[in-house]
Amino acid sequence: MATNKRVFTLRLTDEVFDKIGTLATEEHRSLTNYIEYVLLKHLEEIEKERGPIKPAETETGV
C-alpha cells in the first residue's frame, strides 16, 4: 500500500521512549501512531493560537 509519509530517525532517551510507549499502549496505538497523533494535536493547538502554519519551501530533488 503506497503512502505519502516520510520516514526519518528520531532519537529519544530510554525514559522518554518508555513513557511514550506506556501512553501508546494505554490508547491501544503503536508507538509511531501515538507520536504522530500527539504531534498532530499539538499542531492543531498552535494553529488555533497563531493561524495556519505554512511549510517552508524546500528542494526535494523530484
Side-chain angles (χ1 to χ4, degrees):
M1 186 165 138
T3 179
N4 63 347
K5 295 184 180 185
R6 294 184 188 185
V7 176
F8 70 100
T9 301
L10 176 64
R11 291 180 177 83
L12 303 170
T13 63
D14 288 341
E15 180 182 10
V16 171
F17 185 90
D18 292 342
K19 287 180 178 182
I20 293 171
T22 298
L23 295 174
T25 299
E26 288 175 3
E27 295 209 13
H28 306 287
R29 295 176 180 268
S30 68
L31 187 72
T32 303
N33 180 266
Y34 185 76
I35 291 170
E36 181 179 21
Y37 168 76
V38 169
L39 289 171
L40 289 171
K41 288 293 183 188
H42 180 69
L43 289 171
E44 286 177 11
E45 290 175 19
I46 295 297
E47 288 187 321
K48 281 181 186 176
E49 293 174 13
R50 302 183 193 174
I53 299 169
K54 296 181 182 168
E57 293 195 24
T58 60
E59 292 183 39
T60 60
V62 177

